[in-house]
Amino acid sequence: MAAISEIWEPVEPVLSVRRVLTLERVLAGEPEVVAGAGQLDRPVRWVHVAEAPDVGVMLSGGEMVLTTGVLLTGDPGKQAEYIQSLHRSEAAAVVLGLGRAFPAPPDVMRRAAERCGLPMVVLHRPFPFAELTEEVQARLVRRKFAAVSMSEAVRTALTGLITAGAPLQRLLDEIAQHSACPVVVTNLAHRVLATAGERSAVDDVLRDWERIARQAGGSEGDGWIRAELGGRGERWGRIVLCGYRGDTATGRLLADRAAEALVLHRMLGGNSAHTWEEQSAQSLLTDLVSGVVPARQLLPRARAAGLPVNRRTFVPLVVRDADPTELDRVLRLVGLPGLVAELADGATAVLLSLARDQDAAVLTANFAARVRSGAARAVVAAADPRIVWEDVPAGLREAQHVADAVADSSGVLDLPAVVRLRDVHLRGLIRLLRDDPHVQSFAERELDGLLCGAGEDLLTVLRTYLATGRNKSRTAQLHHVSRPALYRRLEAIQTRLGVDLDDFEQAASVHIALLAHDAQQG
């Protein structure tokens, strides 16, 4: 699908008083700004010719008023009232054509305009107002048509992405590409749920997110434009264009179309604002675990997501066999700040952020006890606490290794409520070294006779035999075979491998190779 910016022509910049004065037809009248020179960037919404002193009653704001002053001559009071009436109606500017009524700029009007901050322009050469009106109105109409066209093109393109099954991030990338500024989606508590835009610009925004969030919650000055997300009378978030460089009206229109698309995305996808929070946490923790993005670059995202990061102790956890939603509920219940993200293979990452004076071990144990009270089979694996943010990725990977080692143990380990690397002993070490080519080669060499064909069944028997501490009676019972049948299988295993399993060193070597093989397969 084509990008939005390829579908329609960009909307022209807002037509300000300053831009009107640069038009070729206006320059022919030799315009001179005699008052309000600091207000020339006011937008011009319309052009109106008016002579009556109480002209303001006919205006609604933003008009550039053209006059010859023919009804104002000889009456300073009317001249002052004329300017004040324009000021009260929030006119953009007044343009006075010099001629028989006023051969020179009238001081009363000039001084009144200066006091009000109303731009006052005089034309030194005779000038047909109809030409100026025609030129400006034509530009305003073209611009309005372009804005309407842009609005429809944006709506169509974003709706097309949604119906094609595009994820939230794809929509935001498209919006950011057109708006040429960072785009941020938040919940009502200003926690960042998703971002899009140039990475460095987004990071700059997130680094100062608290101030920007307050700014975005108020006026829309300096390009901070927001639109509410919600429906049926309920708000659940907002989208913010951060530093939009176009005019405010166009930016607001773009933000509104984006908000409509996000609400539609939620409705069609069956998503909820809470799901977006989960996706935000998952993206952050996945990037931390993978190490693809340096941890320091992820710090602004963590802070904007609501995780306390200044002078904190971080406890990396990976929980198996527990519902991520339940883990999030437990975090809220015990009042611990943290992020929860579902990983692969039934594992969930949890990153706790504790104050430096809190007892990390006690709080982690309390969290694990709450989790296990609702899910008895849950395994809570933890790495040692980290006080430096850059060490968090290694901690998460360590916790993941521990959780995987427990999963490989097939229940043969007697584990505490919070499992650490020291609790999984040799199995944990093998998990950490499983990707080492030397370890892989060792496992292949030691188990070569059982890694194909009928050897797979014997490999299962060997795994049980070694996991039970070479207990023949227990192994026969678990495999539902007689002891003589088990002896025959053990003899076949020893023949294929060329080892004596009664020899402790040889049995240990085979056991280590089997642990490595299972870790690599897992």
Side-chain angles (χ1 to χ4, degrees), residues 308-343:
V309 295
N310 294 332
R311 297 187 58 78
R312 306 291 289 187
T313 297
F314 302 101
V315 181
L317 306 172
V318 171
V319 183
R320 280 195 170 276
D321 299 323
D323 184 359
T325 303
E326 178 63 18
L327 296 178
D328 190 61
R329 190 191 70 81
V330 171
L331 273 185
R332 299 173 190 275
L333 184 65
V334 299
L336 294 179
L339 297 177
V340 177
E342 188 173 6
L343 304 177

Side-chain angles (χ1 to χ4, degrees), residues 448-459 496:
D448 182 59
L450 299 179
L451 295 180
C452 59
E456 289 295 330
D457 292 335
L458 296 177
L459 196 66
R496 282 174 174 255

Side-chain angles (χ1 to χ4, degrees), residues 335-358:
L336 294 179
L339 297 177
V340 177
E342 188 173 6
L343 304 177
D345 302 325
T348 302
V350 181
L351 180 61
L352 304 180
S353 174
L354 310 177
R356 291 283 176 86
D357 58 354
Q358 291 180 298

Side-chain angles (χ1 to χ4, degrees), residues 404-405 408-410 412-413 424-434 439 442-443 446-447 459 462-463 466-467 507-522:
D404 290 344
D408 291 343
S409 69
S410 302
V412 300
L413 298 177
V424 290
H425 307 294
L426 178 61
R427 194 177 299 272
L429 175 63
I430 296 300
R431 286 291 308 185
L432 289 173
L433 298 177
R434 65 175 178 172
V439 175
F442 170 75
E446 289 289 301
L447 302 176
L459 196 66
L462 175 63
R463 183 180 292 108
L466 295 175
S509 181
V510 171
H511 194 185
I512 291 172
L514 185 58
L515 291 176
H517 169 74
D518 289 345
Q520 291 157 16
Q521 296 301 309

